[in-house]
Amino acid sequence: MASATFSQASDLPAWKTLQNLYDTEGKSLSVKEQFSKDPERFSKFSHTFTNFDGSKILFDFSKNIINDEILASLIKLAKEANVEGLREAFFKGDKINFTEDRAVYHIALRNQAGKPMLVDGKDVTPEVNSVLAHIKEFTEQVRSGEWKGYTGKAITDIVNIGIGGSDLGPVMVTEALKSYSKRDLDVHFVSNIDGTHIAEILRKVNPETTLFLIASKTFTTAETTTNANSAKKWFLETAKDKTHIARHFVALSTNAEEVSKFGIDTANMFGFENWVGGRYSVWSSIGLSVALYIGYDNFVQFLKGAEALDKHFTETPLEQNIPVLGGLLSVWYNNFFGAQTHLVAPFDQYLHRFPAYLQQLSMESNGKSVTRSNEFVKYSTGSILFGEPATNSQHSFFQLVHQGTKLIPTDFILAAKSHNPIENNLHQRMLASNFFAQAEALMVGKPQEVVKAEGAPDSLVPHKIFLGNRPTTSILAQEITPAALGALIAYYEHLTFTEGAVWNINSFDQWGVELGKVLAKAIGKELDNNEPVTDHDASTNALINQFKKWA
């Protein structure tokens, strides 16, 4: 891909305009006052996404610290940073991951319209459809009971062994869509190299009725292959015959030689290409656990929801483009307000792993400090994303959000319709009341005069004041269906893309993951014996030697 025409985002004219706007009005802009001045503020700064099935998701940006002029300048920044040109290159299959000479084409995995999508001049759509057909066939065999274990029993448990994107995506999606699952088929996930993780999972399952999915593109990922070999050893302690492995292990990989060597029938190997990044791989064969759990038809709905958001992202003008607006707001807070964090709080227990999934998507993508022109950036990139489901989180860290010294931009997510409307929907109404109240409270705060009017003693007045003007984006879906979840994930993918495009960084490599792995491999050999080590720094030497004494 050609070098960027600019290096530092902070040199762009719109960036300088935004800095001036922040200094003169942005940092003191009262959102509460803006609502009083402009009765059309909500309709102006909120947008409704309509999915392929007609369902809707409302994105309310109106409680953010912006006005017409600030938003117009942010849009201008996106244009000057060539967000539209980079988006076009992204969707054309250009190698926008230039440090690894790769296309970034996970969008092709959800190309349900079947349009030609080219990488290196080759249409990848037939290959994608072939893998999907394989997933459909296998999924239906397992879910129907046609696929049986070595003793003739149907599969009751799926164990996905992977790490990073080969774990976080499937974990999150299977939890989020649990209400669509086959309830007599349980799904489990092993990722941590800590033996406790796999040991506890294996205690729950029966080797006669368990199917293991080994998720590793190269089939050489250290943590995954170690856990896979431990699972195989556990399985053979009961099954005895290695030929039975083929009925209980499948591979999500492209390395046929290693897969075969492990004992897996290569007919049960589900591949994906190098243009599928790990944190974007749940749409690929890495999503096999999802398809098995919720059924292939629901998996297709999941893909279609993301595809619909892709269509919105590529075809909607920047001024109304929902993920672009989300990304620009992130830049506004990160680079002008100095906000270092971003909170995502889903008011939905099924989405309890959604923030963890977004952590990898956001921080692995934009935790970079070098521009596409190979210069160190002169500004902050990559927010620290965190979150937990509400209302639990209201009783833990929300105190910091409301009255702390840090500005923490926040996304709240709620579905209007619950999958479990118990007690005449009382629980959902209580949940919704908190969703609305938290966003309102963060905006309006509680000024001194109100605290005093409530009769608080003078000594407590400062402690009961809420400054307010804390920015929130409220995301209200009709229901968290497979299609809605697909669209939500794609929203955050494209928001992250927009951030990286503005900051002029490569959002698609992850060299920072590698150094620790290399050092761990070298130290691992040193832990194979009891000899003291001396070739590290004094702290590392001491820690390794103490570990050897205690282990």
Side-chain angles (χ1 to χ4, degrees), residues 255-511:
N255 191 337
E257 183 179 352
E258 289 297 324
V259 166
S260 180
K261 192 184 299 182
F262 185 90
I264 294 173
D265 185 346
T266 54
N268 299 319
M269 188 174 83
F270 298 79
F272 51 102
E273 292 302 314
N274 70 358
W275 39 260
V276 181
R279 55 192 174 277
Y280 303 98
S281 62
V282 71
W283 317 103
S284 72
S285 59
I286 292 296
L288 179 60
S289 57
V290 176
L292 286 164
Y293 195 51
I294 67 172
Y296 182 76
D297 289 345
N298 283 321
F299 185 66
V300 168
Q301 297 288 301
F302 174 62
L303 299 177
K304 284 184 174 181
E307 179 187 34
L309 202 290
D310 293 341
K311 182 177 172 66
H312 169 89
F313 179 57
T314 54
E315 297 181 0
T316 307
L318 299 188
E319 291 80 1
Q320 290 86 41
N321 197 302
I322 295 170
V324 169
L325 293 172
L328 291 173
L329 285 170
S330 178
V331 171
W332 176 233
Y333 296 125
N334 190 316
N335 297 114
F336 299 94
F337 285 81
Q340 296 181 328
T341 60
H342 189 104
L343 167 62
V344 177
F347 284 70
D348 190 312
Q349 185 60 31
Y350 283 133
L351 291 176
H352 71 105
R353 295 297 291 165
F354 195 54
Y357 174 80
L358 295 182
Q359 284 175 339
Q360 184 191 28
L361 172 63
S362 176
M363 294 194 282
E364 192 169 83
S365 294
N366 289 339
K368 312 292 170 58
S369 57
V370 177
T371 70
R372 289 196 298 268
S373 302
N374 296 328
E375 295 181 8
F376 282 99
V377 296
K378 299 176 181 177
Y379 38 80
S380 173
T381 66
S383 298
I384 301 165
L385 192 146
F386 72 106
E388 286 289 333
T391 55
N392 294 28
S393 50
Q394 293 171 204
H395 293 267
S396 56
F397 54 76
F398 266 46
Q399 170 64 42
L400 177 66
V401 183
H402 278 282
Q403 288 187 303
T405 59
K406 296 174 173 59
L407 182 77
I408 304 175
T410 299
D411 294 353
F412 291 139
I413 304 171
L414 175 73
K417 184 177 179 180
S418 172
H419 289 290
N420 299 288
I422 61 174
E423 299 292 335
N424 196 29
N425 219 29
L426 171 64
H427 289 257
Q428 189 69 2
R429 293 197 303 275
M430 289 179 67
L431 186 70
S433 68
N434 281 275
F435 171 82
F436 301 125
Q438 287 294 330
E440 184 177 37
L442 284 165
M443 181 188 74
V444 301
K446 194 172 187 181
Q448 177 177 291
E449 57 269 22
V450 173
V451 176
K452 284 187 173 181
E454 290 177 347
D458 290 345
S459 61
L460 288 183
V461 168
H463 300 278
K464 293 194 170 188
I465 291 173
F466 291 73
L467 295 177
N469 219 44
R470 307 292 171 105
T472 60
T473 295
S474 296
I475 302 172
L476 179 62
Q478 286 182 287
E479 185 177 13
I480 300 299
T481 61
L485 182 66
L488 275 176
I489 297 171
Y491 162 73
Y492 280 102
E493 285 180 354
H494 298 323
L495 182 158
T496 302
F497 171 90
T498 301
E499 291 175 324
V502 171
W503 289 325
N504 199 24
I505 56 177
N506 180 3
S507 298
F508 303 105
D509 59 11
Q510 55 278 329
W511 298 107

Side-chain angles (χ1 to χ4, degrees), residues 527 529-532 542-551:
L527 298 179
N529 59 66
N530 293 321
E531 296 298 316
L543 287 167
I544 292 174
N545 292 331
Q546 189 65 70
F547 172 84
K548 287 187 174 190
K549 290 178 182 178
W550 285 351

Side-chain angles (χ1 to χ4, degrees), residues 29 44 83 116 120 128 153 181 203 220 236 238 284 290 342 346 369 382 412 419 464 487 510-511 545:
L29 186 78
K44 188 186 299 180
V83 169
D120 291 327
V128 170
K153 296 178 181 178
S181 69
R203 287 188 178 104
T220 58
L236 289 174
T238 301
S284 72
V290 176
H342 189 104
S369 57
F412 291 139
H419 289 290
K464 293 194 170 188
Q510 55 278 329
W511 298 107
N545 292 331

Side-chain angles (χ1 to χ4, degrees), residues 177-186 293 350 420:
L177 300 178
K178 184 174 285 188
S179 59
Y180 293 86
S181 69
K182 180 176 168 61
R183 291 292 181 165
D184 59 353
L185 183 66
D186 289 329
Y293 195 51
Y350 283 133
N420 299 288

